[in-house]
Amino acid sequence: HHHQSDNVNKLRQVTDFEVEPRAALSHQLNHHHHHHTSASSSSLKPTTAIDIASKLDLVADYENLSDAAFALSEWISKAAGVEEIHAFCQSRSFATVIKRAITEPYDPIKYTDSILPSMLHMIGTLFLLVRMSSRAVSSTRKSLETVIQEARAVAQYDPVFAEKVALYIISRIGKAVEELKDCYSDDDGVGLILRLEDEVESLSSSIATSREACGG
């Protein structure tokens, strides 16, 4: 990820106030979490949650999406517990990065080389944290990669459909995380993945149909 660090300076121009570069931001998110979990006063918890949520929103809105996804992955792997992951999957920040990955226009080479890998890494980190097996994670990443790329191709002339695909992916990942959180069985998420892959396949074919309908 080192080749991305030149972009960190661009991250400062988020809205009209200064935002710390990626590394500092990741550190702040991570440090903040540990700092407050030890606090005995329960009155701190709501503010902390709001604080973290607004910081995550800030990250999700970064101009450079691969840096945003990278910072979120860092937070997931270093500071988030299963409950936080669960909340994150329902959050605006998670929905924002997934939608952006599908609907925002990017240079294709930059997209393939840095944006998509960062996004898939973020999703993989998320699933590993809720104890999905690495085998299941890598097959999930593969199917999501296909769907995201196909949805991007459709987004150019059918933004409404692309938005639907984004919402579908968001809710599906959220459901998967929820099921894994409640499941202590030995199939370590493989059954879930097979189901996900079937759904992803039918999604891919509906994307293809949508493309033909639009004369693509």
Side-chain angles (χ1 to χ4, degrees):
H1 278 292
H2 295 297
H3 65 287
Q4 292 178 9
S5 57
D6 336 341
N7 301 324
V8 167
N9 294 324
K10 288 186 205 151
L11 300 187
R12 293 173 180 275
Q13 287 123 15
V14 174
T15 63
D16 55 351
F17 50 91
E18 284 236 323
V19 165
E20 286 143 289
R22 180 166 94 177
L25 192 113
S26 303
H27 171 76
Q28 200 189 352
L29 281 173
N30 299 339
H31 174 73
H32 193 96
H33 172 85
H34 294 304
H35 180 68
H36 279 308
T37 35
S38 57
S40 54
S41 156
S42 60
S43 66
L44 275 174
K45 288 206 176 83
T47 11
T48 309
I50 290 165
D51 204 23
I52 285 288
S54 59
K55 281 179 184 169
L56 291 172
D57 275 351
L58 211 61
V59 178
D61 291 330
Y62 271 167
E63 176 194 8
N64 183 308
L65 184 57
S66 56
D67 282 352
F70 177 83
L72 291 170
S73 303
E74 288 280 280
W75 173 75
I76 291 165
S77 59
K78 295 192 174 134
V82 175
E83 290 305 323
E84 279 97 340
I85 294 293
H86 192 234
F88 174 62
C89 289
Q90 317 293 327
S91 71
R92 177 194 167 273
S93 47
F94 180 64
T96 301
V97 287
I98 300 283
K99 281 184 192 166
R100 288 182 62 193
I102 289 176
T103 58
E104 281 185 10
Y106 295 104
D107 168 64
I109 292 168
K110 185 179 173 226
Y111 188 82
T112 311
D113 287 355
S114 87
I115 294 172
L116 191 57
S118 317
M119 289 297 300
L120 294 169
H121 174 67
M122 179 192 80
I123 294 166
T125 308
L126 195 91
F127 278 139
L128 286 170
L129 211 96
V130 288
R131 296 190 309 275
M132 183 185 276
S133 72
S134 50
R135 183 169 52 108
V137 168
S138 72
S139 68
T140 310
R141 277 176 57 144
K142 279 198 196 80
S143 14
L144 281 172
E145 179 173 14
T146 309
V147 172
I148 290 172
Q149 284 177 316
E150 291 179 347
R152 275 189 68 73
V154 175
Q156 296 164 25
Y157 45 82
D158 191 350
V160 177
F161 184 76
E163 175 96 356
K164 273 189 198 147
V165 175
L167 291 172
Y168 171 79
I169 291 173
I170 292 158
S171 75
R172 205 61 203 82
I173 290 173
K175 273 199 197 108
V177 166
E178 202 164 327
E179 288 179 33
L180 283 160
K181 186 171 77 103
D182 302 332
C183 121
Y184 297 97
S185 71
D186 296 331
D187 82 340
D188 58 16
V190 175
L192 185 77
I193 294 318
L194 296 174
R195 216 159 57 242
L196 243 180
E197 285 185 342
D198 285 347
E199 290 171 13
V200 158
E201 253 167 55
S202 63
L203 196 63
S204 297
S205 59
S206 70
I207 288 174
T209 314
S210 159
R211 195 180 305 185
E212 284 153 24
C214 296

